[in-house]
Amino acid sequence: MRITHYVVAVAAAVTLAMPAAALAETADVMRPSAHPVKLRTALRELSVTYTYQGQEHTLDDFLTRTKTNGFLALDGQNVVAERYTGVSRDTRFQSWSMAKSFTATAVGIALKEKHIRSIDDSVDKYLPELKDSGYAGVSIRELLHMSSGIDWNEATDAPRLMAAANKGYSISKMAALQKRGWEPGTQFEYTSMNSFVLARLVTKTTGMPYYDYVERKIWQPAGMESTATVGNDSHGDSLGYCCYYATDRDFARFGLLYLHGGKAKGHQVVPASWVKASTKPSSVNPNYGLHWWLGGGGDFMAVGLGGQYIYVSPEQGVVIVKSSIAGSAPDQEEAIVAFRAVAAEVARTRG
């Protein structure tokens, strides 16, 4: 479960600790649910050790080495582990690319509501401004699988994309300038611009701003407790590939939504078929579904730059969230081992 060649370069080019004030003029607010999903604080001692690359580690060691500021584990709706370093439970962490999983979820709901006829449709059918770009003829499914064929190098192009957004450039116009690099659907290439195009697709097909649609169809129905902000490009388009600022408990509620097959508070928020499709390997990458990273054992994760995770273990019934303000070197391969050890310990100590 590895993000291809982009974490180090992006980490060098983008400031992880961007304060909320820095996005005050380029972010939209999502309001919480009037009836949040209740998370019960039921902390218990977890003795977690795991072996990685021949060495035994503890959870405390992993969290310290990876400069973790927020960590929690859910056993169902029970918060069985929760700790914050230098921050508090109310801190709104930058999601970075965990936002991509929210964007894919919005696409799935728009599909269910028939705003989108099929994810095998070409994206330029809905976004005609892309007809002369490398996205012409590329299916929505290929965007979700990160196999769009766009000539893109995440290590160098993602920092430029973020810089352009922060300077107020229209990302929609940048998308229309993208060129074809290879045949769509034939290989995996992690491309943040794909996720922006999907967010733009949600806006265009639903007739609602992306953040508004996410608020009404995901954030509130899933029972989020706090407000969140979603970054935009100052031209009316949400970024979609990054920049949700939310609490760890609300990120955990999103994981809980997927753990429960798309249900929250007894209601089907995300189609169960979409949850299943999202966590199924694609033909171009066995470790990637529809904007979710897959563990290969039924578990899956939303992953963000520098150590942001929403991990879901359907087998153990556990959700884990890990957040950092100033992330360390990439730790995704070790993280999956550590999270599985935590999930196993939560299950072992249950009841």
Side-chain angles (χ1 to χ4, degrees):
M1 189 191 285
R2 176 181 297 177
I3 296 180
T4 58
H5 66 258
Y6 97 104
V7 179
V8 176
V10 179
V14 182
T15 302
L16 280 169
M18 186 185 299
L23 286 177
E25 296 180 353
T26 58
D28 297 297
V29 176
M30 295 193 302
R31 297 162 297 180
S33 171
H35 304 285
V37 167
K38 294 187 182 300
L39 299 181
R40 297 176 289 272
T41 301
L43 304 180
R44 61 180 185 251
E45 185 175 349
L46 300 176
S47 179
V48 179
T49 60
Y50 63 93
T51 301
Y52 179 68
Q53 294 184 342
Q55 293 189 340
E56 188 173 273
H57 300 278
T58 65
L59 176 62
D60 287 343
D61 164 58
F62 173 68
L63 297 179
T64 299
R65 282 189 290 108
T66 57
K67 300 179 181 179
T68 300
N69 296 98
F71 177 84
L72 70 83
L74 291 183
D75 183 1
Q77 291 178 220
N78 292 325
V79 180
V80 296
E82 186 172 30
R83 65 180 75 177
Y84 298 99
T85 302
V87 294
S88 73
R89 200 172 92 180
D90 296 325
T91 297
R92 284 156 176 78
F93 291 98
Q94 159 71 289
S95 69
W96 294 109
S97 286
M98 293 195 305
K100 292 177 170 69
S101 300
F102 284 91
T103 296
T105 302
V107 171
I109 296 172
L111 177 69
K112 175 67 175 180
E113 294 184 336
K114 302 187 184 306
H115 298 296
I116 299 168
R117 188 188 68 84
S118 170
I119 61 170
D120 290 313
D121 284 347
S122 298
V123 69
D124 55 308
K125 172 182 177 179
Y126 303 94
L127 300 176
E129 66 266 27
L130 299 179
K131 285 188 179 295
D132 294 325
S133 76
Y135 282 111
V138 177
S139 73
I140 298 166
R141 186 185 302 275
E142 287 163 342
L143 290 168
L144 289 162
H145 280 162
M146 292 296 184
S147 61
S148 66
I150 295 304
D151 184 10
W152 185 270
N153 183 332
E154 188 77 3
T156 55
D157 292 329
R160 295 191 188 104
L161 180 64
M162 197 66 193
N166 287 337
K167 290 179 180 178
Y169 289 106
S170 169
I171 306 304
S172 184
K173 290 182 178 179
M174 291 180 65
L177 296 174
Q178 299 305 304
K179 303 299 182 183
R180 177 69 54 80
W182 39 273
E183 186 64 23
T186 61
Q187 68 185 58
F188 178 87
E189 184 64 41
Y190 193 86
T191 302
S192 283
M193 185 63 85
N194 291 346
S195 306
F196 170 81
V197 171
L198 290 170
R200 173 79 180 136
L201 174 72
V202 169
T203 295
K204 188 69 175 289
T205 58
T206 65
M208 298 170 60
Y210 166 90
Y211 76 91
D212 198 9
Y213 191 74
V214 171
E215 177 191 272
R216 296 189 191 190
K217 302 297 181 178
I218 302 173
W219 203 255
Q220 292 180 349
M224 305 311 187
E225 185 180 33
S226 303
T227 59
T229 59
V230 181
N232 65 56
D233 67 352
S234 301
H235 292 269
D237 284 315
S238 297
L239 299 179
Y241 58 84
C242 81
C243 306
Y244 278 60
Y245 277 81
T247 67
D248 273 356
R249 285 202 168 202
D250 279 341
F251 282 137
R253 287 181 173 93
F254 185 57
L256 197 63
L257 179 67
Y258 266 71
L259 177 67
H260 290 162
K263 284 186 176 181
K265 299 182 290 183
H267 298 286
Q268 195 73 46
V269 177
V270 184
S273 59
W274 186 260
V275 173
K276 184 177 180 180
S278 296
T279 54
K280 179 181 178 181
S282 76
S283 60
V284 293
N285 188 341
N287 295 323
Y288 203 75
L290 302 179
H291 272 35
W292 285 88
W293 291 92
L294 313 181
D299 48 354
F300 51 92
M301 300 197 295
V303 180
L305 170 67
Q308 321 296 84
Y309 296 95
I310 303 170
Y311 170 84
V312 181
S313 172
E315 177 185 4
Q316 307 289 12
V318 171
V319 173
I320 297 169
V321 174
K322 175 184 178 298
S323 297
S324 297
I325 293 176
S328 61
D331 56 29
Q332 190 170 344
E333 291 183 356
E334 183 177 0
I336 188 69
V337 178
F339 294 158
R340 284 173 173 167
V342 173
E345 176 68 359
V346 169
R348 187 190 70 82
T349 58
R350 184 178 294 144

